[in-house]
Amino acid sequence: MDRRRIRLLIAGLFAGLCATSAAITASSAATPDANAACGPAAMNASDAEAAMLALRAHNAERASLNLPPLAWNCRLAQEAAKWAEALSQQGKLQHASAEIRKGSGENLWMGTAGHWSVDRMVGMFIDERQHYRHGPFPDVSRTGNWSDVGHYSQIIWRDTRELGCALVQGREQEVLVCRYFPAGNVMGRTAY
């Protein structure tokens, strides 16, 4: 893996956090056995904590708007890990193609390795709230540019039910990829 440490943000530790959320949908192709394979035994304490922080940050923002919480999806986290590794090797951010994402949405973050906590990375997506204007997508930003709030609107998209994130740490940078199912930011529709 070329001296890169992949931190798959996946865990069965989310049972308590996810208990109130919807069951994993059939369309996500995840089964209870598939989710068990990425439970606590598959990760160290630091990675489990990072995963919990990512899910908690997403769901706290959704709760502030009375939106249903997201459930953790191990398949999404595993796919996010593959893409995060590819981006880390490229050294730049670029969204995966629709074919690769298979109906999931995607938020990307890159920054200096070791300087940012996972909840702060997700917090930067949430900070876009300051420019958000509720309306049909893409008319959702007070700045006139939907990309100024695209991360945030994906987080608060009512129809999104599942989340999987992965963090890849290289020597100089970290890349966070979060995948959402089903994808948000649908033209002509409102987030909630």
Side-chain angles (χ1 to χ4, degrees):
M1 235 182 295
D2 190 56
R3 294 192 212 170
R4 299 185 197 290
R5 190 174 130 229
I6 297 179
R7 294 175 11 170
L8 293 179
L9 305 180
I10 51 182
L13 295 176
F14 294 120
L17 291 172
C18 299
T20 58
S21 62
I24 295 173
T25 62
S27 60
S28 71
T31 65
D33 290 339
N35 280 324
C38 64
M43 62 182 3
N44 64 42
S46 173
D47 293 347
E49 180 182 356
M52 191 176 340
L53 290 171
L55 185 63
R56 187 178 293 152
H58 279 81
N59 283 338
E61 184 62 24
R62 290 175 67 87
S64 75
L65 297 169
N66 295 316
L67 297 171
L70 299 174
W72 196 257
N73 181 302
C74 292
R75 182 187 58 81
L76 289 175
Q78 291 163 348
E79 291 172 0
K82 289 177 187 175
W83 190 244
E85 178 64 21
L87 293 176
S88 180
Q89 290 176 3
Q90 293 173 17
K92 64 179 183 175
L93 292 181
Q94 178 180 344
H95 284 287
S97 69
E99 286 178 35
I100 290 172
R101 286 185 284 130
K102 304 173 194 158
S104 64
E106 183 176 73
N107 278 344
L108 307 174
W109 182 94
M110 181 183 283
T112 305
H115 284 77
W116 305 94
S117 65
V118 171
D119 55 337
R120 185 62 198 127
M121 293 172 193
V122 174
M124 290 180 191
F125 298 152
I126 294 170
D127 288 346
E128 294 175 0
R129 171 191 333 110
Q130 67 183 321
H131 301 298
Y132 179 75
R133 174 179 60 202
H134 194 64
F137 193 84
D139 189 24
V140 292
S141 176
R142 291 184 182 116
T143 68
N145 186 354
W146 72 265
S147 63
D148 291 339
V149 299
H151 300 102
Y152 180 69
S153 56
Q154 172 58 82
I155 289 172
I156 64 166
W157 202 265
R158 176 181 292 282
D159 294 337
T160 298
R161 296 286 185 246
E162 300 171 2
L163 171 69
C165 298
L167 181 66
V168 172
Q169 183 174 350
R171 275 189 249 152
E172 296 179 20
Q173 64 190 14
E174 291 178 304
V175 176
L176 174 71
V177 175
C178 289
R179 294 270 174 94
Y180 306 82
F181 189 84
N185 296 342
V186 178
M187 292 293 179
R189 297 189 49 208
T190 58
Y192 59 91

